[in-house]
Amino acid sequence: MKKLFAVLGDPIGHSMSPIMLNDVLTNNNIDAHYHPFKVSPEDLEIAIKGLKAIGIAGFNVTIPHKSAIIPFLDDIDELALRIGAVNTVVNDNGKLVGYNTDGYGFIKGLEPYISSFSNKKVLVIGAGGAARAIYFTMAKMNPLAIDITNRTLMKAKELIQACPFESNSKPLSLKDAEAHLNEYDVVIQTTMIGMYPNVSETPISLKNLNNQALVCDIVYNPLETQFLLEARQKGATVQNGVEMFVYQGALAFEKWTGIFPDVKRMRDNVLRQLEA
Ligand code: NAP
């Protein structure tokens, strides 16, 4: 029987996951369909019960359900529980089990550049949901240091205090981060600053950027944010948010099927959608 996979969100019309994941299902000869469902927050519980009743094989959840879904799952992976957000659910013999592949997706996207973080000083800009997934996952990898800067400094402090993994971390104001920017090997921009339509905005000045640094922006619309453009002009290596998006999807697909898909194919597909 044809299997069903899905993504639940509100709104959901913009999601690139259906085209990306239906293509890898077909490419791997899996008789299944991946469908987007618009589910409002008040309908989330009943939607999850319905998906479980019909025996859905697995699904993704996106904004605004990543945290709200937790009470409706049968089990949750330790890291997802610590992050407090789920983006991937696996139907394990009738039990719905939640995972978070955002942080590992981001880190897997860095593999061409970084094999170990033990000698890397990392700066995370932002302290929202995406920063939390990236920070907690990366803290597990024992970087030399991983500091957080955020417009609201208290939120950076809270994120560091909430991290369950021991890490050498300090909260920084945006001004302090700008002043000490040359100390960082990896800079990760996790806010929505620079996202369409506010494409000229940047979260901090890159005046003091180390030109050997790797600079990542998890925004992918536009593909090159003003922040990445300025980093590239300073000589830094840059990476946009497509890699995180593709790898979080690849890791979800692997959890559902046991197959790690063709990431180049997925990336090309996403780039085609973004260009269209
Ligand atoms: P969120 O939880 O709402 O966090 C927003 C963050 O942005 C906070 O740190 C907030 O700072 C900061 N911020 C917002 N407006 C700001 C401004 N005008 N000036 C300074 N800081 C500002 O959002 P999220 O879920 O983490 O998502 C953040 C971005 O990541 C979005 O653009 C989303 O599309 C993208 N994303 C990409 C991927 C991917 O796969 N590539 C995955 C997830 C998310 P305060 O604490 O001071 O409010």
Side-chain angles (χ1 to χ4, degrees):
M1 196 172 59
K2 201 178 188 85
K3 286 182 179 171
L4 178 66
F5 294 96
V7 56
L8 315 188
D10 185 12
I12 199 61
H14 66 287
S15 174
M16 293 184 292
S17 296
I19 293 179
M20 177 175 84
L21 288 168
N22 275 314
D23 179 68
V24 284
L25 284 167
T26 308
N27 191 44
N28 286 282
N29 299 314
I30 297 170
D31 186 20
H33 175 70
Y34 182 102
H35 196 83
F37 288 105
K38 181 173 180 292
V39 176
S40 62
E42 57 276 18
D43 287 337
L44 182 64
E45 181 173 10
I46 194 155
I48 303 299
K49 281 187 177 153
L51 290 174
K52 189 174 173 180
I54 62 171
I56 191 159
F59 56 98
N60 289 126
V61 276
T62 185
I63 291 170
H65 304 315
K66 286 185 176 184
S67 299
I69 192 175
I70 292 174
F72 310 133
L73 298 173
D74 298 307
D75 204 354
I76 179 165
D77 160 76
E78 172 77 13
L79 179 63
L81 182 65
R82 301 289 198 164
I83 293 169
V86 161
N87 75 329
T88 299
V89 178
V90 176
N91 187 338
D92 182 7
N93 291 313
K95 268 177 55 182
L96 297 182
V97 185
Y99 297 88
N100 189 310
T101 67
D102 282 333
Y104 277 125
F106 176 78
I107 287 166
K108 214 156 166 51
L110 298 186
E111 276 177 6
Y113 307 107
I114 297 176
S115 51
S116 163
F117 287 91
S118 62
N119 60 348
K120 302 290 181 214
K121 225 179 145 178
V122 181
L123 177 68
V124 176
I125 305 171
R132 193 175 169 97
I134 291 171
Y135 173 59
F136 282 15
T137 313
M138 204 174 260
K140 274 185 90 172
M141 309 200 148
N142 294 313
L144 189 59
I146 178 164
D147 297 338
I148 302 181
T149 185
N150 193 45
R151 173 180 63 177
T152 312
L153 187 58
M154 183 52 78
K155 286 198 191 156
K157 285 183 187 159
E158 285 167 3
L159 198 52
I160 291 169
Q161 276 163 7
C163 184
F165 312 109
E166 204 164 308
S167 68
N168 176 15
S169 296
K170 59 176 184 293
L172 293 171
S173 67
L174 297 175
K175 282 270 159 281
D176 282 346
E178 286 175 349
H180 295 277
L181 199 57
N182 64 343
E183 296 170 16
Y184 294 96
D185 305 295
V186 184
V187 178
I188 308 166
Q189 194 312 100
T190 73
T191 76
M192 59 282 280
I193 297 174
M195 193 165 85
Y196 182 83
N198 303 314
V199 295
S200 60
E201 294 177 5
T202 60
I204 59 170
S205 158
L206 290 175
K207 185 164 161 270
N208 295 326
L209 180 70
N210 168 359
N211 63 8
Q212 302 293 308
L214 170 63
V215 179
C216 307
D217 196 327
I218 69 166
V219 168
Y220 49 73
N221 184 15
L223 284 173
E224 184 171 72
T225 56
Q226 180 67 22
F227 189 69
L228 282 194
L229 169 71
E230 289 177 18
R232 184 168 57 78
Q233 285 172 342
K234 294 213 78 156
T237 303
V238 297
Q239 186 180 76
N240 65 28
V242 170
E243 295 305 295
M244 176 177 174
F245 178 73
V246 164
Y247 277 100
Q248 63 75 32
L251 292 170
F253 187 86
E254 186 181 35
K255 290 206 176 294
W256 295 326
T257 64
I259 301 166
F260 192 78
D262 179 346
V263 171
K264 180 179 180 310
R265 189 180 173 97
M266 293 171 75
R267 183 187 301 115
D268 289 348
N269 205 328
V270 168
L271 290 174
R272 266 199 306 278
Q273 291 186 64
L274 285 169
E275 278 154 15

